[in-house]
Amino acid sequence: MAILLTGGAGYIGSHTAIELLNKGREIVIIDDFSNSNEKVLENIKKITNKDFKFYQIDYKDREQLEKVFEENKIDSVINFAGFKAVGESVQKPLEYYFNNVSGAIILLDTMRKYDCKKFIFSSSATVYGNPERVPITENSRVGGTTNPYGTTKLMIEKILEDLYKSDNTWDICVLRYFNPVGSHESGLIGEEPKGIPNNLMPYIVRVASGELEQLSVFGNDYETPDGTGVRDYIHVVDLSIGHVKALEKLEKEGQGLYIYNLGTGTGYSVLDMVHTFEKATGQKVNYKIAPRRPGDIAACYADPTKAKEELGWVAEKNLEDMCKDSWNYIQTVQRR
Ligand code: UD1
């Protein structure tokens, strides 16, 4: 029985592929390389010394997708095939709704046809909008997303809720990621944002490497310990292990719709990030204080208790590991 990873060549998909292969699981990856490339697949094989089947297809292509289900015994699906750039989603809402929401519907409908009903979905802390309080539990109010990307996550969560209500033989797990950073310790795979990055860690890394001149710290007048924005950064390897644990729960217990926050439970400010990065890597990060970025919130971090109690999962890597591994990856990219 195989696990299908849609978007399995992407940032979080590829790291999860490694954790599954290391556990001796059989996987099938589909990816259209819209935000990844063939090299990632080679590197997954190099890191794990294991092989897997791959199809270069768009997960929205129903005919091709059915072929994958025909040719393999797929028992569960982890859906990583979402577009994820917040700014781009504002420019291209139709593309985002089509790829993320229509794509998820096509995938779920195809799964139903082949009686494959174990589904893990990559959601985001963005579904909490501006949280009422921190740390955020899974019961906190959702809604108030500020961009199409975030709204697609919320919509898919709703679709999954309705689907489960209509047919409780589905086993569904929604994972709400906080801020994924870092990369595999080998430096062989990681995140390669196209163009100038929007997210903090990729930006810091490029300032340190000299590719970008200076980091703008967006606001130092928030109600946080040092005035800069506080987030829950989580190492991508920890996050990937969370998927393995979620899958194991569905396989053992099944029949339910489960929602988990995947975060460390600790919030770090933008300046904490800058200083820890400098300490961990020995590189200087040139920065200036700039105005707040529209749509940003002061603080967002998880209460990860539920995942600990029900999945037996806790994030183990610390901020220094995240900084070191992010830096290590960009250096191997630059050496290529
Ligand atoms: C953003 C998205 C979120 C997505 C997440 C992926 C928004 C509103 N939210 O979260 O939907 O799931 O990325 O990781 O866009 N910062 C700077 N300078 C920079 C970049 C960022 O000071 O050049 C600050 C921000 O103001 C914020 C913190 O760093 O306080 C983190 O920002 P970022 O990495 O963009 O993540 P989020 O905004 O939390």
Side-chain angles (χ1 to χ4, degrees):
M1 283 296 195
I3 305 151
L4 176 66
L5 275 60
T6 64
Y11 176 46
I12 299 167
S14 58
H15 285 85
T16 303
I18 290 172
E19 297 307 321
L20 289 166
L21 290 167
N22 281 344
K23 280 237 155 190
R25 307 297 303 255
E26 184 188 350
I27 64 166
V28 174
I29 291 183
I30 65 173
D31 205 299
D32 63 357
F33 293 140
S34 58
N35 197 18
S36 59
N37 56 62
E38 269 169 352
K39 191 97 187 110
V40 177
L41 303 175
E42 279 167 43
N43 284 330
I44 295 173
K45 290 178 188 169
K46 207 185 264 177
I47 291 167
T48 59
N49 216 4
K50 303 241 168 69
D51 206 358
F52 52 85
K53 252 189 168 174
F54 171 72
Y55 295 81
Q56 187 177 347
I57 61 166
D58 178 345
Y59 86 132
K60 300 187 293 301
D61 184 336
R62 174 138 198 163
E63 213 173 290
Q64 299 281 343
L65 188 61
E66 290 203 0
K67 206 167 142 245
V68 176
F69 278 84
E70 291 287 346
E71 291 178 2
N72 302 278
K73 281 203 166 66
I74 308 286
D75 184 48
S76 48
V77 176
I78 312 184
N79 182 15
F80 296 107
F83 290 165
K84 59 170 186 180
V86 172
E88 187 184 59
S89 78
V90 177
Q91 307 303 320
K92 298 180 174 176
L94 292 182
E95 284 83 350
Y96 270 68
Y97 287 113
F98 184 52
N99 185 69
N100 293 8
V101 182
S102 306
I105 294 171
I106 293 166
L107 176 61
L108 290 162
D109 195 35
T110 308
M111 289 176 65
R112 180 172 59 176
K113 179 171 171 188
Y114 290 88
D115 199 31
C116 168
K117 291 184 173 175
K118 282 190 191 61
F119 187 69
I120 297 180
F121 174 61
S122 308
S123 190
S124 165
T126 199
V127 300
Y128 296 115
N130 193 351
E132 289 165 308
R133 66 183 75 85
V134 283
I136 305 172
T137 67
E138 290 80 354
N139 293 328
S140 303
R141 188 205 58 213
V142 296
T145 49
T146 51
N147 53 73
Y149 156 76
T151 308
T152 66
K153 296 290 176 193
L154 204 57
M155 285 178 163
I156 299 165
E157 284 203 11
K158 186 71 195 149
I159 290 168
L160 292 171
E161 197 185 305
D162 289 340
L163 177 64
Y164 182 72
K165 259 189 226 157
S166 75
D167 174 1
N168 66 10
T169 64
W170 281 86
D171 310 324
I172 298 171
C173 191
V174 169
L175 300 176
R176 292 180 179 152
Y177 307 163
F178 280 69
N179 290 54
V181 296
S183 49
H184 190 264
E185 59 181 7
S186 64
L188 288 173
I189 60 166
E191 190 176 28
E192 262 170 270
K194 288 179 186 150
I196 296 175
N198 288 308
N199 295 121
L200 181 62
M201 182 66 101
Y203 208 104
I204 287 181
V205 164
R206 278 161 186 77
V207 172
S209 74
E211 218 178 292
L212 294 169
E213 204 180 314
Q214 192 176 44
L215 170 75
S216 293
V217 175
F218 296 140
N220 66 349
D221 55 353
Y222 285 107
E223 273 187 44
T224 59
D226 66 16
T228 67
V230 165
R231 296 291 184 275
D232 188 337
Y233 299 93
I234 172 166
H235 197 292
V236 64
V237 171
D238 278 328
L239 191 69
S240 300
I241 295 169
H243 292 73
V244 179
K245 299 272 187 187
L247 181 66
E248 287 170 355
K249 179 176 173 85
L250 292 187
E251 288 171 342
K252 257 188 263 143
E253 295 169 36
Q255 298 202 356
L257 188 151
Y258 307 94
I259 300 178
Y260 298 105
N261 284 340
L262 294 185
T264 64
T266 306
Y268 288 104
S269 74
V270 178
L271 293 180
D272 288 334
M273 291 290 280
V274 169
H275 297 136
T276 309
F277 186 92
E278 289 181 332
K279 196 168 138 238
T281 66
Q283 302 298 315
K284 180 104 194 74
V285 180
N286 188 15
Y287 71 85
K288 63 161 195 243
I289 304 297
R292 290 182 179 193
R293 181 172 67 177
D296 269 357
I297 53 180
C300 172
Y301 54 95
D303 178 341
T305 311
K306 194 175 169 211
K308 182 178 179 190
E309 287 177 359
E310 297 185 15
L311 300 178
W313 174 87
V314 279
E316 280 170 0
K317 294 186 183 274
N318 62 28
L319 200 57
E320 284 204 18
D321 300 324
M322 303 183 212
C323 292
K324 260 191 221 144
D325 291 340
S326 299
W327 178 238
N328 186 24
Y329 178 66
I330 193 84
Q331 285 181 300
T332 51
V333 170
Q334 284 175 345
R335 274 199 296 268
R336 264 186 226 151

